[in-house]
Amino acid sequence: MSTTTAPPPRVETPLRRFAAEFAESRIAVGGLVVFVLIALGALFAPWITPQNPYDLMQIDIMDGRQPPGTSGGAGFTFWLGTDDQGRDMFSAILYGLRISLLVGAGSALIAAMVGASLGLIAAYAGGRTDSAIMRLVDLQLSFPAILVALMILAFLGKGILNVVLALVIVEWAYYARTVRGSALVERRREYIEAAHCLALPTHRILFRHLLPNCLPPLIVVATMQVARAIALEATLSFLGLGVPITEPSLGLLIANGYQYMLSGHYWISFYPGIALLITIVSINLVGDHLRDVLNPRLKR
Amino acid sequence: MTVYLLRRLFQAFGVVVAMSVLVFVGVYGIGNPVDILISPDADQMERERAIRALGLDRPLWEQYVWFVANALQGDLGRSFAYNEPALQLILQRMPATLELAFAAMILAVAIGLPLGLYAGLHPHSPASKAIMAGSILGFSLPTFWVGLMLIMLFAVHLGWLPSNGRGATAEFLGVQWSFLTANGLAHLAMPAFNLALFKISLVIRLTRAGVREAMLMDYVKFARAKGLSPRRVTFVHVLKNILIPVVTVTGLELGGTIAFSVVTETVFSWPGMGKLIIDSINRLDRPVMVAYLMIIVLMFVVINLLVDILYTVLDPRVRIEGKAA
């Protein structure tokens, strides 16, 4: 061992190469930055917002339906206006984002775990198990997501957990299909054969050897599905089937503003929609570029 | 072919049975069936009588057989809110939904095809880049919010278009249609465009990819070498070949469009099936919900079956696979 303290040479780790390749697209980096800002804004909402929009002590009905830019009685300016109850829309949007992001990311994560496990099992077991799982996937994908989610929520009723459950049921099939596709290729590789020869237990082969090598396409699908889940949750909430009124997401904020639209109070629906749009577009930009970076066929 | 068809029919039947069990368990298993099937205003005596009359004291499998037997005779229960047979209620609203869905499909092709053609022929022009950016936006925009913004712009600020309802209708083939009157068309314009937005983006992308591929083909080069005008090459030789996938995908999307009209109908108060189901869910009008779900399941199973059969007829590879299996 040498004792020199020269800085270690930059090793080309997969993660570093991935980061460098990702940084090549300015649009994708921009999307990522915007998304991180949105996520931070949502996370630290109680410390950033001028009021807690769901603390009745802090809102004043006299401030109801103020246009953007009015100064309220509480001593701060309503930059995005107020809703019918006198809530500051900027605060309500950040609080709404928390619910939207939580539901979107949570359901995508659970669906990824369920879907990836079933996809791995299908690819590894083959035969009848495989065709049973894939038949279920086909069946699931032949019905539009909005309809399946609608059915489930119609029977289960409103609630954040019910929405997450409905989104998981709608989404797991995409992950299962993706993971099965790459696992079918990977399971014929030598390292799986080697693991077999070592007589490793099946679950270890599945989750420690096969799964890590199926991750790249899974990450791409997961990114896109987060955006899809957020949009679907907003739609369901807008229809009155999603989150309860006590925990409004962006979709419910938009729905609340719907009735004031015709009297010209556009901002109650407009700004939550813009927030939703920016969130979805930024995730999609990142996902779109991830697909190019992680696609082995486009490897340079 | 016959064997494949029979097997596919059998599968479709299996799906319908499976879904009917699910819907049945959904209604009778999860919620209290008495609350669901008997009006909440009923008193104790009435409830007991109704429970016996509805056979709710029988074992679950017996109830299911009964449910299926009634469903097969077209009896899916009566709506609480309207006091009409649920099935009839839904069938009455179906033309409005179909009209909206077809109008959206026509708009998607009418707007998407020319834009996609332009973007494919001039891939590097700024206008094409704008079109493609617009199509990404079309995929990302939440449909219901765009609908609200359309109402705000065209109904509230400009006052050009009405914001809700079907407007005046005219009778054709015994059914009321909006597109036959000027007033009805004005009512149809915004919801149809709103529902079409996603499909427009889809058609633009498909057409653009198809055109770019076709321009490199030998038959296009040959047509050019023959000295045909660019206009003729584009509109006869290229367009003819890209129309096939575009029309196929648009057709396949019909089911999804009908399903998604739930959202558009709610935004624009369009009196179709989608608006009915949302109202029924909010009113807990469960017989209508069950009837709607069964009809939708049946509709999708039939659409999927038809698509599979069409593919078998059109694509020889599927046919051979079907024979081998």
Side-chain angles (χ1 to χ4, degrees):
Chain A
M1 289 296 273
S2 75
T3 52
T4 47
T5 52
R10 273 183 76 87
V11 192
E12 170 94 330
T13 64
L15 201 63
R16 272 206 194 122
R17 204 176 70 202
F18 165 71
E21 273 180 27
F22 185 81
E24 274 171 24
S25 163
R26 260 184 299 168
I27 295 180
V29 173
L32 187 64
V33 169
V34 170
F35 178 71
V36 169
L37 284 179
I38 289 174
L40 286 178
L43 190 64
F44 294 110
W47 292 277
I48 298 173
T49 55
Q51 66 170 206
N52 177 353
Y54 300 104
D55 180 359
L56 289 177
M57 296 299 288
Q58 292 184 33
I59 60 172
D60 186 354
I61 195 117
M62 296 302 285
D63 289 332
R65 283 179 264 166
Q66 295 290 338
T70 348
S71 302
F76 58 90
T77 309
F78 301 122
W79 290 114
L80 302 181
T82 59
D83 72 356
D84 55 315
Q85 303 289 318
R87 281 189 194 101
D88 174 40
M89 282 316 290
F90 174 70
S91 312
I93 287 171
L94 281 188
Y95 274 80
L97 263 171
R98 303 180 96 174
I99 310 279
S100 290
L101 290 178
L102 185 75
V103 171
S107 66
L109 202 68
I110 300 173
M113 289 196 287
V114 174
S117 308
L118 283 172
L120 278 180
I121 292 168
Y124 194 77
R128 204 168 284 175
T129 321
D130 184 26
S131 60
I133 293 177
M134 291 326 282
R135 193 45 50 78
L136 213 57
V137 168
D138 286 343
L139 181 64
Q140 174 76 70
L141 294 182
S142 67
F143 288 95
I146 176 95
L147 218 76
V148 178
L150 207 70
M151 271 192 211
I152 297 166
L153 288 173
F155 289 130
L156 295 186
K158 287 183 196 186
I160 288 190
L161 280 181
N162 289 348
V163 175
V164 171
L165 179 69
L167 290 177
V168 168
I169 292 177
V170 166
E171 286 181 354
W172 70 273
Y174 292 94
Y175 298 97
R177 200 169 57 175
T178 311
V179 169
R180 175 180 174 267
S182 40
L184 275 182
V185 179
E186 291 293 329
R187 66 170 290 212
R188 296 185 207 292
R189 296 279 172 87
E190 285 89 349
Y191 68 87
I192 297 294
E193 215 167 289
H196 269 301
C197 295
L198 290 172
L200 294 177
T202 311
H203 63 88
R204 202 185 147 96
I205 298 181
L206 279 183
F207 291 102
R208 298 295 291 276
H209 296 255
L210 207 48
L211 184 60
N213 289 289
C214 302
L215 271 184
L218 185 64
I219 292 170
V220 175
V221 173
T223 318
M224 297 301 210
Q225 291 295 322
V226 171
R228 236 176 73 104
I230 291 175
L232 196 55
E233 182 276 326
T235 307
L236 290 168
S237 295
F238 173 76
L239 292 175
L241 297 168
V243 296
I245 195 93
T246 47
E247 291 160 299
S249 64
L250 292 178
L252 203 56
L253 290 180
I254 296 171
N256 283 344
Y258 180 36
Q259 47 187 319
Y260 302 105
M261 187 83 99
L262 292 177
S263 46
H265 302 118
Y266 69 92
W267 57 89
I268 307 178
S269 279
F270 181 73
Y271 290 114
I274 292 286
L276 185 63
L277 177 65
I278 294 174
T279 312
I280 295 174
V281 170
S282 66
I283 298 176
N284 276 342
L285 286 177
V286 172
D288 216 34
H289 187 56
L290 273 183
R291 180 165 46 200
D292 293 344
V293 173
L294 293 175
N295 188 346
R297 265 176 296 176
L298 298 175
K299 269 273 162 343
R300 286 149 289 183
Chain B
M1 181 71 194
T2 324
V3 176
Y4 172 79
L5 202 68
L6 277 176
R7 220 181 40 180
R8 200 59 197 70
L9 261 175
F10 185 72
Q11 277 174 13
F13 178 73
V15 170
V16 174
V17 170
M19 293 307 273
S20 77
V21 171
L22 272 180
V23 170
F24 181 81
V25 172
V27 179
Y28 293 72
I30 294 174
N32 181 356
V34 180
D35 296 342
I36 294 164
L37 291 169
I38 302 165
S39 147
D41 311 326
D43 63 22
Q44 195 59 34
M45 288 284 284
E46 265 179 72
R47 282 171 73 93
E48 303 238 320
R49 195 152 14 98
I51 287 174
R52 220 160 315 136
L54 290 167
L56 292 178
D57 47 351
R58 322 294 306 175
L60 201 62
W61 66 267
E62 218 171 286
Q63 290 183 43
Y64 175 70
V65 171
W66 211 44
F67 166 78
V68 171
N70 280 337
L72 285 178
Q73 292 165 21
D75 178 8
L76 290 165
R78 287 179 86 84
S79 156
F80 301 151
Y82 298 90
N83 199 24
E84 270 179 58
L87 190 66
Q88 186 191 325
L89 207 58
I90 290 164
L91 291 181
Q92 275 168 6
R93 313 257 171 148
M94 204 182 247
T97 298
L98 291 180
E99 180 177 29
L100 184 61
F102 276 109
M105 296 305 241
I106 293 168
L107 266 185
V109 175
I111 297 175
L113 202 62
L115 289 180
L117 205 59
Y118 181 84
L121 290 174
H122 313 276
H124 301 294
S125 82
S128 304
K129 286 195 177 135
I131 292 173
M132 292 320 287
S135 83
I136 291 182
L137 218 56
F139 276 121
S140 301
L141 283 167
T143 312
F144 67 98
W145 184 72
V146 177
L148 294 185
M149 293 304 118
L150 286 175
I151 291 181
M152 195 180 86
L153 185 64
F154 290 107
V156 179
H157 278 276
L158 299 172
W160 290 353
L161 292 170
S163 69
N164 62 59
R166 280 184 86 180
T169 54
E171 194 174 295
F172 178 63
L173 296 177
V175 185
Q176 298 291 328
W177 302 100
S178 285
F179 72 96
L180 294 172
T181 66
N183 181 272
L185 266 182
H187 280 83
L188 184 60
M190 266 203 294
F193 177 72
N194 186 220
L195 190 57
L197 208 63
F198 187 83
K199 314 289 170 225
I200 293 174
S201 306
L202 191 70
V203 173
I204 288 178
R205 299 200 139 215
L206 273 174
T207 311
R208 177 176 176 271
V211 169
R212 296 202 65 183
E213 223 168 87
M215 291 310 278
L216 304 173
M217 291 288 176
D218 287 341
Y219 65 81
V220 172
K221 283 184 197 154
F222 178 66
R224 282 227 192 99
K226 268 202 308 190
L228 296 180
S229 70
R231 180 186 294 250
R232 197 177 156 78
V233 174
T234 309
F235 287 100
V236 177
H237 296 248
V238 173
L239 196 62
K240 221 191 234 172
N241 282 283
I242 58 165
L243 267 183
I244 301 164
V246 171
V247 168
T248 316
V249 172
T250 335
L252 282 181
E253 286 286 316
L254 182 65
T257 310
I258 291 175
F260 214 79
S261 68
V262 168
V263 180
T264 305
E265 284 177 15
T266 307
V267 173
F268 293 95
S269 301
W270 187 262
M273 289 163 33
K275 177 101 175 64
L276 178 71
I277 180 69
I278 295 297
D279 289 347
S280 303
I281 291 173
N282 288 331
R283 281 194 204 117
L284 285 178
D285 196 347
R286 302 267 182 152
V288 179
M289 284 159 60
V290 173
Y292 176 83
L293 293 183
M294 287 318 295
I295 287 177
I296 282 285
V297 165
L298 209 60
M299 199 161 80
F300 268 89
V301 167
V302 170
I303 289 177
N304 290 338
L305 189 67
L306 287 180
V307 167
D308 277 6
I309 292 172
L310 266 181
Y311 269 176
T312 326
V313 174
L314 294 179
D315 191 339
R317 279 170 302 181
V318 181
R319 206 154 53 217
I320 290 161
E321 220 172 84
K323 242 177 222 158

